[in-house]
Amino acid sequence: MSLHPVFDCHADILMDVVKRRREGETAVFRSRHLSRLREGGVAGAVLIHCHMYDTPAGPEDIREFIRLFREEDRENAGVWSLILGAADAARAEETFRAAAEKARALPQDASRAAAPRAGEAPEAPSCDEGPLPALVGMEGLKAVQGDFSLVERMHREAGLRLASLTQNDQNDLATGHWGDPDRGLTPR
């Protein structure tokens, strides 16, 4: 069992947020994900949205994501802190370091604690103070369909700071695992 805080570099949480907001739920991150992240010792995360390789997606899906994300962001004010630039990254680093210091301050024998019983959560450092630092990411840009102004819009309006070209599929930009192995990146 690790007593160190975790920065989750790929949390597919925004996929769930979009799905549930389409179904009428609000404050999805706060009500369904935050407590589990904190209980697991997560002190920061890259929150990922993805259009799965086997699901059609286009520019209208990007516009919907931006709209739903902005609604969710307003409802989670004070719950997460989006990392949008260098100053935000520095604050996130301070938050993570503080969580690490708390973990180091635990008694020496805490790392040898007995494993939790079935159904019990393992002990983790407290990461329940202040907003959770978060980067917004997109796995696969197939929905962009060559309209790069949508990437700029996601950056500006939804805080997108990390994106991969594909999600195992083949699209206008590149070829993932299940695409033509001789194709690779496109000139776009």
Side-chain angles (χ1 to χ4, degrees):
M1 161 175 49
S2 172
L3 293 176
H4 299 285
V6 173
F7 191 94
D8 186 340
C9 291
H10 191 114
D12 285 328
I13 289 171
L14 293 181
M15 293 174 66
D16 185 61
V17 166
V18 167
K19 174 186 169 282
R20 291 180 186 280
R21 288 197 76 89
R22 284 177 181 151
E23 295 167 355
E25 285 188 45
T26 58
V28 177
F29 180 80
R30 180 189 309 258
S31 65
R32 295 197 173 259
H33 298 285
L34 181 63
S35 64
R36 289 189 294 183
L37 290 168
R38 295 209 192 269
E39 288 167 9
V42 175
V46 178
L47 305 177
I48 299 290
H49 182 55
C50 175
H51 297 101
M52 297 299 288
Y53 71 93
D54 58 351
T55 305
E60 67 282 354
D61 296 296
I62 297 289
R63 289 187 284 277
E64 178 190 43
F65 167 74
I66 292 168
R67 180 181 58 78
L68 294 175
F69 179 83
R70 290 179 72 180
E71 291 171 5
E72 186 74 11
D73 187 37
R74 279 191 297 275
E75 294 165 4
N76 285 294
V79 174
W80 63 28
S81 174
L82 297 181
I83 301 170
L84 301 174
D88 298 324
R91 278 191 297 280
E93 182 179 4
E94 287 174 25
T95 300
F96 196 77
R97 286 181 191 275
E101 287 299 318
K102 279 185 176 181
R104 280 195 283 279
L106 292 172
Q108 289 280 353
D109 61 349
S111 63
R112 287 177 260 146
R117 289 184 227 154
E120 290 182 0
E123 286 185 40
S126 173
C127 297
D128 58 358
E129 296 174 14
L132 185 83
L135 277 166
V136 174
M138 179 73 70
E139 183 180 5
L141 293 173
K142 75 175 177 182
V144 170
Q145 295 182 352
D147 183 355
F148 294 106
S149 69
L150 291 172
V151 176
E152 293 169 1
R153 243 188 103 189
M154 284 189 292
H155 181 271
R156 191 175 56 251
E157 297 178 33
L160 182 73
R161 294 299 184 266
L162 178 71
S164 64
L165 298 178
T166 69
Q167 192 280 330
N168 291 323
D169 57 348
Q170 182 169 303
N171 62 36
D172 291 352
L173 304 171
T175 303
H177 177 73
W178 288 311
D180 177 357
D182 296 323
R183 184 170 176 261
L185 294 173
T186 67
R188 299 186 73 102

